[in-house]
Amino acid sequence: MARGKKKEELTLEEKLERALVPVEEQPYEVPENWCWTKLRVVSEVVTGSTPSKKKPEYYGEEFPFFKPADLDAGRKTIIASEYLSNEGKKISRVIPAKSTAVCCIGSIGKSGYLEVDGATNQQINSVIPKINSLYLYYFINTEMFINELWEKSSATTISIVNKSKMEQNLVPLPPLAEQQRIVDRIESLFAKLDEAKEKVQEVIDGYAIRETTILQKAVFGELTKGWREKNGISKKAWKVISLKECGNWFGGGTPTKSKNVYWDGGTIPWITSKDMKDRLVEDSLLHITQEGVNHSSAQYCDKPAVLFVMRSGILRRILPVCMVKAPFTVNQDLKAVIPEKIQLEYMYWACTAYEKDIRENCMKSGTTVESIEAKKLFEYELPLPDEREQKVIVGVIENLMCKEESAKQLAVQILKRIDIMKKSILAKVFRGELGTNNLEEESSVKLLKQILEQRKIK
């Protein structure tokens, strides 16, 4: 039987017709010497893969193996969370520097500009450019490009957009000289915004340090020195008090989960470490009934108290302390103290000021789960001014904390505005609206033809 005829090769004009996006399908109007095409025309898209973990010889310290989390570095993606050996490199798909790696599973659209050669795992599609690499990187970061990826993603438990669909994403194509001008304009504007962002971030990052400084100066009596002088009170009047002496302590418990009557319809807050996220706990994730209280070691309390987490993995980082003023119970991982010889708010702030010292000195050693030793906690001592100065200290702390919180929130809002400004710049520059375009330059259709001549694009 005679073989079938070989499929005829498309002419350059036919390829061009396929590469150009019809006017009715173009997302928006661009300058007349630009054109619209598709990602597959101006780049090669490559899906990554993971060398077998069963072969440790594939892994080492020589060749970067990028994963989605590594793309957080954005424009300067250089460091990988894992590296391959030369053997691993040989069986991987090598992505050249100046490519853009795009996450296409889960965090769809997150991208990084590779400043070095590398490989990626299968969650990443890499765009190897045939035009200005940074022009393509910045366009991939536009809301339009990312939204198009999401629209093409599959509706599964984890969102996925495959290579063939990604290749169909639309790309505005200006002349090469204009591409470079666009990159220069973006990087000039972004540099100024990034400088401002860095200063604002310093304010946010310094919040915890400033908070600790305020608290320590307050409980050392530095912030009320003028008040004492005005009222003829000496710092020598201060005493120390152990946490055990501060008031009435009690622990908690958990009603059995097998008895629905202990839980269903419960209205009494049952506080765990998960609820201790703010200074004041006003409610809890779970509630129990009075029946649950009556038949467990959980104790009902209707007086204001200070709560301490005694056992939790979170103790590796911080000792959660908070106040509660509404009726409550706690689970067995917490202890509560109803202050009697010390004011509630002062005790809370003093313990917060010494949080790190308390944790380091009261932690149990040799246990699997991080926990606080009750005996050591009870013996820990706090500075104790008289009742009037405790109130003054609390007032000073809360006033300064309010100002710090306001400054932090303002800084967060500024960061959001900077991100909005960046998105606005990208949206405008890829419409030719930032005054970079030169209409006397030859149409980018010629550039498109050159790309098509160099590549076998169907």
Side-chain angles (χ1 to χ4, degrees), residues 33 52 106 209 305 328 357:
N33 59 341
S52 175
I209 296 173
F328 69 96
D357 192 58

Side-chain angles (χ1 to χ4, degrees), residues 142-157:
T142 62
E143 287 188 301
M144 178 193 142
F145 187 93
I146 295 171
N147 289 340
E148 192 173 350
L149 285 181
W150 276 102
E151 288 170 3
K152 291 173 177 168
S153 65
S154 57
T156 58
T157 305

Side-chain angles (χ1 to χ4, degrees), residues 253-257 259-272 275 281-293 296 298 300 324 326-331:
T254 302
T256 177
K257 296 293 179 71
K259 297 280 188 178
N260 293 337
V261 68
Y262 297 165
W263 297 89
D264 292 351
T267 58
I268 302 172
W270 183 70
I271 300 172
T272 72
D275 301 306
V281 177
E282 297 183 291
D283 202 356
S284 60
L285 295 171
L286 298 174
H287 299 77
I288 61 175
T289 63
Q290 186 60 52
E291 191 80 4
V293 175
S296 73
Y300 177 83
V324 59
F328 69 96
T329 61
V330 298
N331 78 348

Side-chain angles (χ1 to χ4, degrees), residues 235-250:
K235 179 76 185 301
K236 294 179 181 180
W238 282 42
K239 303 176 182 178
V240 294
I241 186 171
S242 71
L243 287 175
K244 179 66 174 177
E245 296 175 296
C246 285
N248 179 30
W249 286 80
F250 62 91

